[in-house]
């Protein structure tokens, strides 16, 4: 059994990939925030359980979410602390997890459990410029690109996989066109490169009531911290 375990661990591959992000045909210097993940086509994969100490934070500060992208296992939680001196109302009513945290004041926090796989686009009902993405995955085989577009997915066993890609500045249709199937063998070290084109159109969204946001105004006393 010890020998079998050693051979299985030895057969696992660290798979590298590269992402090029372009705009209007020109390469961009920063190709970070691309997520590449592999889902086994056959067999059962056990998704790691999130430990309480591993709950990530999407901090609301300076009318922005920090960080703007988080990847978690299905069933994992994300904490949404408000560190601005006024109220926020975090919500997601699009794909992925649908929720509305309501108004909550500076110094307080909320938690959301992402109980199904998917991509959740996160907004604030008060500040239209605030946006973030939470990706809940049913596979442990993923990585996020750095500024150079480099990424490495560790510990991938041999087999057939569906490859998917996400970047917040790229359209859904283009991302779907990146989907492919690959076979990982004992000598596989790379899953290739992906060229993504940043969209000129930002993700349009309404507020949680399905209406346009009011024009930006000085912070209303109604939303200020007491």
């Amino acid at each position: 059994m010890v020998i079998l375990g050693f051979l299985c661990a030895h057969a696992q591959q660290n798979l590298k990939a590269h992402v090029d992000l372009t705009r209007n045909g020109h390469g961009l210097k920063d190709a970070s925030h691309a997520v590449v993940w592999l889902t086994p086509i056959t067999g059962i994969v056990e998704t790691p359980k999130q430990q309480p100490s591993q709950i990530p934070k999407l901090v609301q500060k300076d009318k922005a979410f920090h960080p703007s992208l988080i990847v978690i296992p299905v069933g994992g939680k994300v904490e949404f602390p408000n560190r601005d001196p006024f109220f926020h109302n975090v919500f997601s009513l699009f794909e992925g997890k649908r929720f509305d945290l309501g108004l909550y004041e500076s110094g307080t926090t909320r938690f959301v459990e992402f109980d199904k796989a998917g991509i959740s686009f996160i907004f604030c009902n008060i500040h239209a410029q605030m946006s973030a993405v939470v990706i809940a995955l049913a596979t442990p085989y993923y990585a996020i690109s750095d500024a150079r577009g480099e990424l490495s997915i560790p510990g991938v066993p041999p087999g057939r996989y569906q490859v998917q890609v996400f970047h917040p500045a790229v359209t859904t249709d283009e991302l779907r066109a990146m989907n492919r199937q690959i076979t990982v063998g004992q000598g596989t070290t790379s899953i290739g490169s992906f060229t993504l084109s940043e969209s000129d159109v930002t993700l349009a969204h309404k507020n949680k009531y399905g209406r346009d946001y009011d024009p930006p105004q000085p912070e209303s006393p109604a939303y200020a911290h007491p």
Side-chain angles (χ1 to χ4, degrees), residues 28-40:
L28 300 179
K29 292 182 178 180
D30 186 355
S32 60
H33 292 95
V35 185
V36 178
W37 66 95
L38 310 180
T39 304

Side-chain angles (χ1 to χ4, degrees), residues 83-166:
R83 294 181 183 166
D84 271 326
F86 38 78
F87 282 77
H88 284 297
N89 182 174
V90 180
F91 75 97
S92 179
L93 299 178
F94 294 78
E95 300 177 21
K97 177 73 174 184
R98 298 171 64 88
F99 64 89
D100 177 5
L101 298 183
L103 283 173
Y104 59 105
E105 64 183 358
S106 175
T108 61
T109 191
R110 299 288 189 274
F111 291 84
V112 175
E113 179 180 351
F114 291 78
D115 49 6
K116 68 175 183 177
I119 300 171
S120 299
F121 295 91
I122 315 296
F123 303 105
C124 175
N125 193 55
I126 304 170
H127 309 100
Q129 73 271 32
M130 294 178 62
S131 66
V133 176
V134 174
I135 304 178
L137 296 179
T139 173
Y141 312 123
Y142 72 89
I144 304 173
S145 65
D146 60 18
R148 297 175 300 171
E150 305 293 341
L151 59 88
S152 179
I153 305 175
V156 181
R160 291 283 294 169
Y161 294 87
Q162 178 77 17
V163 181
Q164 292 174 266
V165 184
F166 175 83

Side-chain angles (χ1 to χ4, degrees), residues 180-203:
R180 63 183 74 164
Q181 293 185 6
I182 63 168
T183 299
V184 176
Q186 188 167 348
T188 306
T189 60
S190 173
I191 56 176
S193 61
F194 303 85
T195 300
L196 305 176
S197 177
E198 188 176 78
S199 173
D200 290 325
V201 181
T202 57
L203 179 65

